[in-house]
Amino acid sequence: MARYLVAERGVRDLVLVSRRGLEAPGAVELAGELRGLGAAVRVLACDVSDRGAVRGLVDSLVADGGLLAVVHAAGVGDNGLVGALSPERLEGVLGPKADAECG
């Protein structure tokens, strides 16, 4: 999604958030790739299931000059069409999205 936003949609200021921030596998490489495409990229750590942490993150981004959009793309991949997933597999795929709190 980040590559698409930068390369195809022209986004030039991007904040990538995950529980582990720069320590997440591939985060440093992805940030470097996006910077190479002309984007200013910050990689931050935040657990989106923690309402207070999300509120603090959003407040800090707004204080830094604004927040125009949020793309919540958490999820776990699974090999199969949604209609073919068992309830357990579907919960594994969509659980991270459904369990995250916004506030």
Side-chain angles (χ1 to χ4, degrees), residues 13-15 22 24 43 45 50 53 56 59 65 69-70 76 79 82 89 99:
D13 189 4
L14 199 63
V15 177
L22 281 171
V43 181
D50 179 336
D59 288 348
V70 173
V76 175
N79 191 14
V82 171
R89 288 174 61 200
D99 289 342

Side-chain angles (χ1 to χ4, degrees), residues 4-100:
Y4 168 78
L5 290 171
V6 171
E8 302 296 325
R9 304 301 296 174
V11 171
R12 291 294 171 251
D13 189 4
L14 199 63
V15 177
L16 304 176
V17 178
S18 71
R19 286 187 177 149
R20 295 178 22 196
L22 281 171
E23 294 182 19
V28 171
E29 295 81 5
L30 176 59
E33 179 184 335
L34 297 172
R35 288 182 184 115
L37 293 170
V41 179
R42 290 179 284 167
V43 181
L44 305 175
C46 180
D47 181 352
V48 298
S49 68
D50 179 336
R51 183 180 296 248
V54 172
R55 183 171 290 127
L57 172 66
V58 170
D59 288 348
S60 72
L61 294 172
V62 168
D64 283 348
L67 178 64
L68 299 178
V70 173
V71 177
H72 184 249
V76 175
D78 198 336
N79 191 14
L81 299 174
V82 171
L85 295 176
S86 68
E88 294 79 19
R89 288 174 61 200
L90 185 61
E91 182 175 338
V93 171
L94 297 180
K97 288 183 181 292
D99 289 342

